[in-house]
Amino acid sequence: MNKTLLDNLQATLGPLIENSPLKDMEQNVRALLTQAVAKLDVVTTEDFEVQKLAIAQMRAPIAALEKRVAELEAKIPPPQQDSSIEPSP
């Protein structure tokens, strides 16, 4: 579509909408949407990126700790069974 046509249409319809009940309806819909979004359990993109970075930075130390625990567990000898205890029939 021609950009000039769209600009002319907007210039013509803009003032009509400003002075009509449509403007009030737009404001009401905007207010309802704002309230609905406020009730959602969402975070900003910035907060999400900060948390993503924090998690990425924690992965290496956690992997190192998991490896160390596995090494320590490998050094523990298996429990020996006491031969003086007879199994029950």
Side-chain angles (χ1 to χ4, degrees), residues 46 48-49 78 82:
E46 182 180 323
F48 177 77
E49 292 300 324
D82 190 358

Side-chain angles (χ1 to χ4, degrees), residues 6-86:
L6 291 176
D7 290 341
N8 289 339
L9 189 60
Q10 183 179 4
T12 304
L13 294 178
L16 292 175
I17 292 174
E18 287 291 328
N19 300 322
S20 74
L22 287 176
K23 185 63 176 172
D24 292 336
M25 193 168 77
E26 178 188 349
Q27 290 172 345
N28 290 339
V29 169
R30 188 179 304 268
L32 287 172
L33 287 174
T34 301
Q35 288 175 354
V37 169
K39 289 179 184 179
L40 295 175
D41 190 16
V42 296
V43 297
T44 63
T45 302
E46 182 180 323
D47 289 342
F48 177 77
E49 292 300 324
V50 167
Q51 290 301 315
K52 196 164 82 170
L53 179 62
I55 290 169
Q57 291 174 344
M58 287 185 235
R59 283 194 176 137
I62 289 171
L65 288 171
E66 288 174 339
K67 181 180 176 186
R68 180 72 177 134
V69 167
E71 290 170 354
L72 292 172
E73 286 175 340
K75 290 180 181 180
I76 298 173
Q80 295 180 358
Q81 293 184 343
D82 190 358
S83 60
S84 64
I85 301 175
E86 294 182 23

